[in-house]
Amino acid sequence: MTQSEILFERAQTHIPGGVNSPVRAFRAVGGKPIFIKRAQGAYLYDEDEKPYIDLINSWGPMILGHAPAMILEAVQQALGDSLSFGAPTRKEVEMAELICELVPSIEMVRLVNSGTEATMSAIRTARGYTKRAKIIKFEGCYHGHGDSFLIAAGSGAITMGEPDSAGVTQGVANDTLTAPFNDLEAVKTLVQANQGQIAAIILEPVVGNMGVVVGKDDFLQGLRQICDAEGIVLIFDEVMTGFRLSVGGFQQIVGIKPDMTTLGKIIGGGLPVGAYGGKKEIMQSVAPVGKVYQAGTLSGNPVAVSAGLAMLRHLKQTPSVYRQIQEATQQITKGMQAINQKYALAYPINSIGSMYTIFFSQKTEIFNFEDAKTSDTALFARYFQEMLKRGVYLAPSQYESLFVSTAIESTQIAHILQAHEEAIQVLSGENF
Ligand SMILES: *Cc1c(COP(=O)(O)O)cnc(C)c1O
């Protein structure tokens, strides 16, 4: 037995499913999860010291690869001053100033400990500000595990949502309406049927959580117009895309200013930090200035904020990071496409910046969750296992984005493409 197998046995006794976040359990791809002991640069090392090229990068935060010296140093320096004060600090001020500078739609910001807290708090703030109850979200977008977001579409376009997790009440679901992503007409229908009742529209402007799906320009512009006309708070959930697609997030690339933005992942530099912010007028609804309550014992934690500050300062000073990881990603995706063509396969690969997903679908283009769900997840699972065998660690689900870090260079790209070709060969030998 490998160390991972031994640990997984033990883990299942005292941790539900043996993991502290469900997708880590490999249920969508079969087999047993790999237990990671340490990581450096482009590589994860498991408990048996086997290396893997990491294309998850902690689900986004490790944009500079693992154990980047400048972030470790910032954390080490902070450690000497103790771990938590429960009182305001200079670093929180510097962090808030930097976020507002880099993401200009954010005029005021509140730090929290995760993306989930950021989105939960953002919709509470939008509801408090607008004095309205309902929100619109999109099928296949993930906004963390807050009750209001664990909602599936109802049966008709104007019906209310259905709980998508046990333990979420119908009462909560009644206030969450869902529409297909990239479908402006569906949003118009929902808004018309719920006139004056919608507090917020929340979306991932580039979705990572159904696999990569980029929001179309006219869709995003249309949402901006609807929100302006109807007094609805437009929330871009940039927990994944913030500081990943550019230092100003996807909103900088598409040139749209949301009313509120949620952040997470990269802003903690690998430690738990989230943030929500936006227009001053809206953020002044938050306690202690306004009546929307939100708090956190460890919010703005000095060690976590030190890591985040070091990360954001580095990204601000080093714009070449984005060019580098985009080029590496294009080399990977173009290489995969060329290999697929040799085997007469035309699986769509959606990609933007340093994010990409290959969909094992017969469709030529993937624009929303309906499209994404046409993927052959059993085939993906076999592909995943073949890649893992060859030392490439992909996200263990079809419906995820992969993330390229600055540590992925030509050696690793060659390894990834070689593994891809061998995996495709193996799968081509089977009948699919
Ligand atoms: C990861 C993610 C979240 C949740 O963040 P956690 O830190 O896991 O709670 C929310 N929204 C998006 C878009 C995400 O990718």
Side-chain angles (χ1 to χ4, degrees), residues 361-382:
S361 166
Q362 300 305 324
K363 283 204 161 238
T364 50
E365 288 181 301
I366 307 292
F367 288 126
N368 59 32
F369 196 40
E370 264 319 286
D371 296 342
K373 280 193 297 188
T374 62
S375 303
D376 182 343
T377 51
L379 183 59
F380 171 82
R382 296 198 328 261

Side-chain angles (χ1 to χ4, degrees), residues 92-123:
E92 289 165 87
V93 181
E94 291 173 356
M95 182 83 164
E97 286 170 352
L98 189 55
I99 292 171
C100 294
E101 178 197 327
L102 297 176
V103 188
S105 72
I106 303 181
E107 295 167 359
M108 293 185 113
V109 62
R110 173 62 63 83
L111 296 184
V112 292
N113 304 294
S114 67
T116 294
E117 270 187 78
T119 55
M120 272 170 36
S121 309
I123 57 160

Side-chain angles (χ1 to χ4, degrees), residues 29-301:
V29 291
K32 293 184 182 148
I34 311 284
F35 281 63
I36 303 301
K37 188 173 174 186
R38 63 191 181 87
Q40 180 70 55
Y43 295 90
L44 296 169
Y45 297 86
D46 72 9
E47 282 282 341
D48 294 294
E49 288 290 335
K50 183 172 180 220
Y52 303 86
I53 296 177
D54 186 12
L55 286 170
I56 306 184
N57 281 294
S58 190
W59 303 88
M62 309 314 285
I63 188 171
L64 305 178
H66 289 283
M70 103 218 27
I71 307 232
L72 298 192
E73 274 159 29
V75 169
Q76 264 148 9
Q77 260 189 15
L79 287 177
D81 296 329
S82 189
L83 302 175
S84 179
F85 315 127
T89 63
R90 176 185 297 273
K91 281 178 188 150
E92 289 165 87
V93 181
E94 291 173 356
M95 182 83 164
E97 286 170 352
L98 189 55
I99 292 171
C100 294
E101 178 197 327
L102 297 176
V103 188
S105 72
I106 303 181
E107 295 167 359
M108 293 185 113
V109 62
R110 173 62 63 83
L111 296 184
V112 292
N113 304 294
S114 67
T116 294
E117 270 187 78
T119 55
M120 272 170 36
S121 309
I123 57 160
R124 184 183 306 137
T125 304
R127 284 170 164 157
Y129 172 74
T130 58
K131 302 191 172 61
R132 298 173 182 176
K134 294 182 181 172
I135 61 165
I136 295 178
K137 79 174 280 284
F138 296 89
E139 290 160 24
C141 280
Y142 178 69
H143 304 293
H145 64 87
D147 283 10
S148 300
F149 302 118
L150 298 178
I151 307 294
S155 47
I158 57 168
T159 59
M160 43 205 148
E162 299 285 344
D164 199 23
S165 159
V168 174
T169 63
Q170 186 61 50
V172 169
N174 291 349
D175 286 331
T176 300
L177 310 168
T178 65
F181 192 71
N182 273 328
D183 186 344
L184 197 58
E185 287 309 310
V187 177
K188 285 184 185 159
T189 307
L190 284 176
V191 170
Q192 264 157 28
N194 296 275
Q195 204 77 45
Q197 299 175 62
I198 314 261
I201 297 179
I202 184 167
L203 73 156
E204 301 178 69
V206 168
V207 192
N209 288 292
M210 56 172 112
V212 175
V213 175
V214 180
K216 292 180 185 167
D217 206 59
D218 54 348
F219 170 67
L220 299 172
Q221 299 286 357
L223 292 180
R224 182 64 276 175
Q225 280 161 17
I226 291 170
C227 288
D228 286 340
E230 304 288 334
I232 297 169
V233 176
L234 180 62
I235 307 173
F236 275 10
D237 180 356
E238 297 225 48
V239 168
M240 186 183 284
T241 53
F243 310 106
R244 155 102 11 221
L245 294 181
S246 85
V247 84
F250 185 63
Q251 56 192 268
Q252 178 183 318
I253 294 170
V254 75
I256 294 174
K257 274 193 169 186
D259 302 304
M260 297 186 78
T261 300
T262 53
L263 297 167
K265 300 199 167 106
I266 289 174
I267 63 166
L271 289 180
V273 181
Y276 67 102
K279 284 188 178 152
K280 191 169 189 169
E281 188 190 338
I282 298 174
M283 288 304 289
Q284 280 183 326
S285 312
V286 177
V289 187
K291 291 183 174 164
V292 176
Y293 191 70
Q294 186 272 313
T297 300
L298 294 172
S299 291
N301 174 270

